[in-house]
Amino acid sequence: MNTSLLQGEWVARIADQDNAAVLRLGPHPEWQGTVKGEVRRGDKNHAMVGDVNDGAVTLEESANGINISATWLGEVSEGSCAREVRGHYQIEGNGDAQPLPFVLRKRTP
């Protein structure tokens, strides 16, 4: 998988969270090879940036647009043609909390 395949709209399901989140990602205007966008949960939007390095997907979420509030680390699911990513979601600043499993499924290219 390469970073351009992250572009588009994704539906995210995180364990222990009732509602799905929607990620909208496009090319980062300043950093080539990365994506920039947002994650929407209900009426809340958080900024998001990410990349792919050696097949590993890293997404960093920011509630205030400055500091990282959560990190998404995952890998493309085998046989999904880069349309599904599975991994773990970790809220920053809460070192005692266990990472939660997540699944991202691509909605649109």
Side-chain angles (χ1 to χ4, degrees):
M1 177 175 199
N2 62 44
T3 304
S4 67
L5 294 174
L6 278 179
Q7 295 177 31
E9 187 172 278
W10 297 79
V11 175
R13 295 254 179 222
I14 300 172
D16 294 343
Q17 294 186 6
D18 293 332
N19 298 321
V22 175
L23 284 66
R24 290 186 183 97
L25 303 170
H28 197 293
E30 297 173 35
W31 301 321
Q32 187 175 359
T34 63
V35 293
K36 183 176 182 180
E38 67 180 11
V39 55
R40 176 185 285 272
R41 291 181 188 87
D43 61 350
K44 294 183 181 179
N45 286 334
H46 290 178
M48 181 168 273
V49 296
D51 65 9
V52 178
N53 189 3
D54 291 329
V57 175
T58 301
L59 298 168
E60 294 174 335
E61 179 179 341
S62 176
N64 65 9
I66 298 170
N67 305 101
I68 298 171
S69 55
T71 303
W72 306 59
L73 301 173
E75 294 190 8
V76 174
S77 299
E78 189 173 327
S80 73
C81 298
R83 298 189 61 81
E84 181 179 273
V85 175
R86 290 181 177 268
H88 289 89
Y89 170 84
Q90 178 69 53
I91 297 173
E92 297 296 319
N94 192 353
D96 296 335
Q98 292 293 319
L100 297 173
F102 75 80
V103 178
L104 294 177
R105 290 193 176 93
K106 196 158 195 183
R107 185 184 282 177
T108 62

